Structure formats: C-alpha cells, structure tokens
Amino acid sequence: MKSPDFLYIANWKMQLHFEKALSFCWEHKEEFEQLSASKKHHIILCPSFDALHLVAQLFKDSSLSVGAQTCSKHKIGAYTGEVSAASLSQVGCEFCIVGHSERRIYFGETDNDVSLKTGQLLENGLHPIICVGETQEERKQGKTEEVVARQVHAVCQSIKQKNPNSEFCIAYEPVWAIGTEVFPSNKDIEVVLKHIQKIIADFLPEASVSLIYGGSVNAESAKNIKQVSLIKGFLIGGASFDFQKFEKIVT
Ligand code: PGA
C-alpha cells in the first residue's frame, strides 16, 4: 500500500455501467486528483470489471488507485466468465474487494472461496480488501464476534501460507448496516475491530493490516465513526458515485 494514511474505498458495485463510470471519472478527473493528492488520503476507486483498465489508465499519473470488486478463486483454466487475479494486476489494479456480503449472499461465496481468492490476490501482488460482518439475525443471536472471527480465521490461513508479511485491509461491514442508514455504535465497531486486531496479531504478527468500516458511510456518519481509534478507512457504496457526497466524506 502506498501510504499508511486513511483509505477511502469507493465500491461502485453494478451501479455505474461502462459509459457512466467513464464519464463520471472524466467529469471529476481533476477533482479526484486533487482529493487524492493529499498525503492524508488514499483513494481507491472500484468500478466493475469492464471499466477497470480505462479507469486505471486515466489515473495512472495520480496517487489514486484502482481496485476490482471480486476475482476468481482459480489461477487459470476453463472457468467461463471468471476473471483471474493475474488479469486484474495486468490491467492496473492494485486492490481487490473479496467476500463482500452481496457476493456471499447472492452468489453463495463461502469462507473457503474468500480464502482462495485472497491467496490468488497475494500471489499476484494485489492488496485484498476482505469484507467481514454479521447479518441482523446473527447479531440478534449475539453471534457477531463468533461470525467475524470465523471469517477472519478463514483468510488468515491462506495469508500465512502465501505471504505472512502482506499488506491487506479488513473491512468490518455489518450486513444490516449496508445501504440502510442504520449504524452500529462506535463502541460496537471498536469491540469488533479489537477482536479482529487480536486475531491478526496472533496469527499474522508480521502482516500489515488496515482495519476499515463499511455500511451507510456518509459525510455525517464518517465524521462520527472516524473517532473510533482503530479505524484506518472506509468502504463506501451508495455515497461513492455521487461526487459531492464522496468529496464531503473525504474532506
Ligand atoms: P453502502 O455500501 O455505503 O451503500 O452502505 C457499502 C458496501 O456495500 O460496501
């Protein structure tokens, strides 16, 4: 990772089709570059696969980075429709989100899949942004820490095997907080991040992990959640493809 500074990761999901993603970048190119020029911020744009190469080209002379939203768990082969981590690296991606709850819920991604994807990313020199978080039901049952620990342990194994010194992010995203404008308290976030920090310290003492938060981040909630001492960044969905909203979060 380029800097130890605060990460603002824009997850555009499938909200901007190819033309919109590019026109959004062209329209705000200078503003994005100005925003990312600050040493305090590291901005990472995550468009869908189709736009990755051109967005990476567009920002290649700035300190802004580009990330994918998922990758294949396989290295190479007859896997129709899949995109390998090697390809992502070749088109200019430095980061890749894995294990987002939308992938886990709608596409049946398991902890083991997330672990294999993480391994592929590390083998190809990309920084994984690993999403973890409990559902509303799991929270009600008091299982938040158990679920998050299971998800984190699953990736620790492959990180240890592939590169115990790697630099990666863990995004705590309570599933019930995504796109809902409902937030955990700062205390709740802190408890979960401490738990994650401890697991990483035990399993991967050499690794460099940035703990980030995601779920309905907007200018107001960002200001508040930033007070959680362990927070090193935000994964932003809905507010990331409206430039004014995104800018307010960053500045
Ligand atoms: P949201 O999405 O900011 O719209 O809640 C965050 C995410 O899904 O990563």
Side-chain angles (χ1 to χ4, degrees):
M1 259 171 268
K2 282 186 196 147
S3 69
D5 304 318
F6 210 85
L7 303 169
Y8 294 91
I9 306 170
N11 176 12
W12 292 347
K13 309 192 180 188
M14 206 179 72
Q15 302 284 16
L16 302 181
H17 57 57
F18 178 74
E19 284 177 6
K20 271 202 177 153
L22 290 186
S23 59
F24 182 65
C25 290
W26 271 115
E27 193 184 337
H28 300 289
K29 185 170 186 285
E30 275 177 28
E31 293 157 290
F32 268 128
E33 287 173 350
Q34 273 164 18
L35 266 188
S36 70
S38 161
K39 294 256 182 296
K40 287 192 237 145
H41 314 141
H42 187 174
I43 293 174
I44 301 156
L45 300 182
C46 303
S48 45
F49 286 137
D50 48 355
L52 283 170
H53 192 201
L54 286 177
V55 175
Q57 287 284 312
L58 195 63
F59 291 110
K60 72 176 186 323
D61 297 324
S62 77
S63 54
L64 195 140
S65 298
V66 170
Q69 298 174 14
T70 186
C71 69
S72 178
K73 64 182 172 184
H74 303 287
K75 193 185 187 77
I76 192 166
Y79 300 106
T80 302
E82 290 286 271
V83 177
S84 68
S87 288
L88 295 179
S89 160
Q90 288 162 18
V91 298
C93 281
E94 293 172 68
F95 291 80
C96 180
I97 300 169
V98 286
H100 191 284
S101 59
E102 287 154 13
R103 304 276 334 155
R104 293 180 192 259
I105 294 167
Y106 304 135
F107 302 96
E109 223 166 86
T110 64
D111 287 341
N112 188 46
D113 294 334
V114 179
S115 162
L116 292 169
K117 289 176 181 215
T118 301
Q120 286 302 318
L121 293 171
L122 295 180
E123 267 186 24
N124 286 280
L126 283 102
H127 302 298
I129 301 162
I130 301 150
C131 300
V132 299
E134 81 288 1
T135 61
Q136 181 70 279
E137 195 52 37
E138 289 161 341
R139 179 178 161 87
K140 273 193 203 140
Q141 292 169 3
K143 289 187 177 164
T144 298
E145 287 182 41
E146 181 189 325
V147 168
V148 168
R150 193 200 71 223
Q151 294 170 330
V152 174
H153 274 125
V155 291
C156 280
Q157 308 291 354
S158 72
I159 296 172
K160 194 166 198 152
Q161 203 189 344
K162 302 285 178 188
N163 179 5
N165 305 312
S166 57
E167 295 176 58
F168 59 95
C169 305
I170 297 205
Y172 172 49
E173 296 206 303
V175 179
W176 50 272
I178 295 178
T180 57
E181 303 289 313
V182 183
F183 305 94
S185 67
N186 282 2
K187 182 84 207 128
D188 286 345
I189 297 173
E190 190 158 348
V191 166
V192 175
L193 294 190
K194 275 203 175 132
H195 193 55
I196 297 173
Q197 191 186 43
K198 170 140 193 358
I199 297 172
I200 302 291
D202 288 348
F203 274 79
L204 301 162
E206 312 293 318
S208 161
V209 60
S210 297
L211 301 178
I212 67 177
Y213 170 83
S216 297
V217 172
N218 56 36
E220 218 173 290
S221 61
K223 216 172 182 184
N224 179 38
I225 297 170
K226 249 187 171 179
Q227 288 165 17
V228 176
S229 59
L230 294 173
I231 290 262
K232 289 289 292 174
F234 291 127
L235 182 53
I236 308 156
S240 70
F241 46 91
D242 174 320
F243 188 80
Q244 274 72 36
K245 286 187 185 169
F246 187 69
E247 185 181 33
K248 277 197 187 126
I249 295 170
V250 178
T251 48

